[in-house]
Amino acid sequence: MPGAIYLPEVLYTIADRLETKGAAVLLVGGAVRDMVMGQDVKDYDIEVYGLTTLDELESVLSKFGSVSQVGKHFGIVKLRIGDVEYDFSFPRTERKTGRGHTGFEVEIDGMLDFKEAAHRRDFTINAIGYNIKTYEILDPFGGLNDIRYKILRHIDDSTFIEDPLRVYRAIQFAARFGFDVAENTAVLCKQMVASGVLEELPKERIYEEWKKLLLKAPKPSMGFGLMREWGITEHCFLELHALIDVPQDTKYHPEGDVWTHTMLSIDAMASILNKEEKVESRSCRVLSPDSTTDKHRNEKRALKLLFAELCHDFGKPMTTTVEEGCIKAIGHEKAGIEPTRSFMYRLTEEHDFIESILPLVEHHLKPSQFYKQGAKASAIRRLATKVNIEDLVLVAKADFLGRTTPEAKKGVYEAGEWLLGKAEELKVKNRPIEPILQGRDLIALGMQPSPRFGTILDEVYGLQLDGVISDREGALDHVKRHHCQ
């Protein structure tokens, strides 16, 4: 990375100001790694060397925007300029003093040299610095070489094992960047898993690394492969581990066991979502240069679909039977609901999010079944009351593509296209049809509110779903004839 690289102009101005006070300003961590790899940088972490007190740093930064004291214990000062936030920090050392991610003794020292400060970091690729003023790259542990040869390597045994989360970070980094994990790093990670230290991690921290794996890795299966190889699935996620060696009918699944199919399916879903994101990004630019998508909403939906794909066959280990060479897993879709719920609650307490995944697991066979059966409009309308059909089709499509059948290799999921077309016609692609009648309509007919209202409204809605009733007049007529005598 020769010469100057692009950074927000304000960082150069701040670096100039700090230089007058004898300080050197370095861009550090993931920002440098991503720039070297030609990726977009979203977060800028800056370390300031040569100052003795945080007050000096705050005095300079306060002239550019709002300064926050959050993280001051760790020598971190946040600077907000408009909608953009920058993290400025003093170099520091950390020493493990107890269990958990809070069991560290932090020592801030503005006079440390970069190599000593970078020694606390996890991997060589995250320990590269970039001097904003001189354009000099500081690479004390060979991170640039590891990037060149696509190797993920930890810096130091003794510091690496101080935070068990680094095992999960190794997994998501390797999968995101397509890096091989250095042999000594892999051995150390296996040892940490076997020792049980990962069990001290709060689920919230684990979940954050899972999200990065699922949302950022082109092929999340690489990360899950490492989890399996290092013993994490066996020790921590038995629902996932149980998929290994569960046989499948080779007519429909020539690719192998349920684990293999699930890994192909999760990669297919990641590919589908990546294509969707690119199309949406182009559409936003065409519509308006200032339009932005709701990133949180989009990520939440993507996570829902990815987790649904990961869990869609969790019911197969308990339902698979082999009789006279015939392999079946009858009812596996419904059997997968409880293991999915159990699995997800070990990652997060987001109840509504978990509940949104379950219908996708329960009904993931419906698109193919409905297509083969030529399902009627009433069945499709009723399905829409249980699950978002557009999302369901994506889960079913990834399930279909996660195989090595000739049909799957063509990449066209005819069943899904058929169901989406029907759902579009019926106006139930993303939501069920609205009930024609409400309680107030029954009151307008002179009926007194009672528990019967729910029964009557459900009856009318059922007839609406079946296509027997299609307008308000017909609904009111039905109620008058059957419930107003």
Side-chain angles (χ1 to χ4, degrees), residues 194-364:
S195 71
V197 295
L198 271 63
E199 296 170 13
E200 70 182 58
L201 290 169
K203 67 172 67 175
E204 295 80 10
R205 298 189 77 208
I206 297 172
Y207 188 45
E208 287 303 313
E209 300 307 316
W210 274 67
K211 288 195 289 187
K212 292 172 186 174
L213 167 63
L214 289 170
L215 293 172
K216 297 184 178 184
K219 291 189 174 183
S221 65
M222 181 176 177
F224 292 113
L226 289 175
M227 288 191 200
R228 173 180 174 177
E229 179 184 342
W230 294 350
I232 292 176
T233 57
E234 185 175 6
H235 283 84
C236 306
F237 300 101
L238 291 177
E239 297 88 353
L240 195 54
H241 193 73
L243 305 181
I244 299 170
D245 294 331
V246 176
Q248 300 185 107
D249 188 328
T250 55
K251 177 181 177 180
Y252 302 104
H253 291 282
E255 69 277 357
D257 66 0
V258 181
W259 171 275
T260 302
H261 165 61
T262 299
M263 294 300 103
L264 291 173
S265 297
I266 195 71
D267 287 350
M269 179 59 80
S271 177
I272 290 169
L273 292 171
N274 184 51
K275 290 175 183 176
E276 271 195 357
E277 183 181 0
K278 289 180 179 177
V279 170
E280 184 172 322
S281 177
R282 285 197 297 270
S283 298
C284 288
R285 288 198 297 269
V286 169
L287 290 172
S288 168
D290 297 323
S291 65
T292 57
T293 59
D294 185 338
K295 181 181 178 182
H296 178 73
R297 184 195 66 219
N298 291 344
E299 285 190 353
K300 208 69 174 178
R301 175 176 179 263
L303 270 180
K304 176 181 69 174
L305 294 171
L306 287 159
F307 272 118
E309 201 63 47
L310 184 66
C311 302
H312 81 279
D313 275 348
F314 273 10
K316 281 189 174 178
M318 63 193 78
T319 59
T320 297
T321 59
V322 183
E323 298 178 8
E324 299 181 358
C326 184
I327 303 172
K328 297 180 179 180
I330 297 173
H332 74 271
E333 62 275 25
K334 290 187 177 180
I337 294 174
E338 286 308 315
T340 297
R341 181 181 282 121
S342 173
F343 170 81
M344 289 303 304
Y345 270 114
R346 285 204 307 285
L347 286 171
T348 178
E349 293 294 329
E350 297 178 52
H351 175 76
D352 290 345
F353 175 66
I354 293 172
E355 290 299 312
S356 73
I357 294 170
L358 303 182
L360 296 170
V361 173
E362 180 178 0
H363 299 289
H364 74 268

Side-chain angles (χ1 to χ4, degrees), residues 289-479:
D290 297 323
S291 65
T292 57
T293 59
D294 185 338
K295 181 181 178 182
H296 178 73
R297 184 195 66 219
N298 291 344
E299 285 190 353
K300 208 69 174 178
R301 175 176 179 263
L303 270 180
K304 176 181 69 174
L305 294 171
L306 287 159
F307 272 118
E309 201 63 47
L310 184 66
C311 302
H312 81 279
D313 275 348
F314 273 10
K316 281 189 174 178
M318 63 193 78
T319 59
T320 297
T321 59
V322 183
E323 298 178 8
E324 299 181 358
C326 184
I327 303 172
K328 297 180 179 180
I330 297 173
H332 74 271
E333 62 275 25
K334 290 187 177 180
I337 294 174
E338 286 308 315
T340 297
R341 181 181 282 121
S342 173
F343 170 81
M344 289 303 304
Y345 270 114
R346 285 204 307 285
L347 286 171
T348 178
E349 293 294 329
E350 297 178 52
H351 175 76
D352 290 345
F353 175 66
I354 293 172
E355 290 299 312
S356 73
I357 294 170
L358 303 182
L360 296 170
V361 173
E362 180 178 0
H363 299 289
H364 74 268
L365 295 182
K366 288 292 198 308
S368 293
Q369 291 173 342
F370 277 20
Y371 179 59
K372 290 177 183 177
Q373 298 163 1
K376 296 180 179 178
S378 59
I380 297 172
R381 290 194 196 99
R382 288 184 179 276
L383 179 62
T385 67
K386 301 171 183 176
V387 65
N388 181 302
I389 289 180
E390 185 174 31
D391 287 349
L392 180 66
V393 166
L394 287 183
V395 171
K397 181 178 181 179
D399 179 13
F400 173 78
L401 296 176
R403 314 171 190 220
T404 55
T405 60
E407 296 80 10
K409 289 180 178 179
K410 292 178 182 177
V412 179
Y413 183 44
E414 293 181 358
E417 293 182 0
W418 175 85
L419 181 55
L420 276 181
K422 292 292 185 182
E424 189 86 56
E425 289 175 17
L426 297 169
K427 297 181 173 57
V428 295
K429 187 173 77 168
N430 296 113
R431 61 181 61 83
I433 57 175
E434 294 291 332
I436 292 174
L437 289 190
Q438 303 290 337
R440 61 179 175 270
D441 297 307
L442 302 185
I443 294 173
L445 290 175
M447 300 178 68
Q448 294 298 315
S450 74
R452 288 183 61 227
F453 271 31
T455 302
I456 295 170
L457 292 173
D458 286 345
E459 177 185 311
V460 173
Y461 189 54
L463 293 171
Q464 187 182 343
L465 293 173
D466 289 338
V468 175
I469 292 175
S470 59
D471 54 36
R472 189 168 180 273
E473 289 71 23
L476 290 172
D477 182 62
H478 174 85
V479 174

Side-chain angles (χ1 to χ4, degrees), residues 163-179:
D163 186 357
L165 190 71
R166 288 174 168 177
V167 175
Y168 285 108
R169 284 174 60 79
I171 288 165
Q172 59 101 345
F173 278 135
R176 280 169 57 187
F177 303 139
F179 281 18

Side-chain angles (χ1 to χ4, degrees), residues 103-122:
F104 284 90
E105 181 181 282
V106 177
E107 184 175 342
I108 302 167
D109 185 354
M111 296 302 156
L112 284 176
D113 65 34
F114 178 73
K115 181 175 182 179
E116 189 175 1
H119 190 265
R120 67 178 173 81
R121 296 188 178 272
D122 46 13

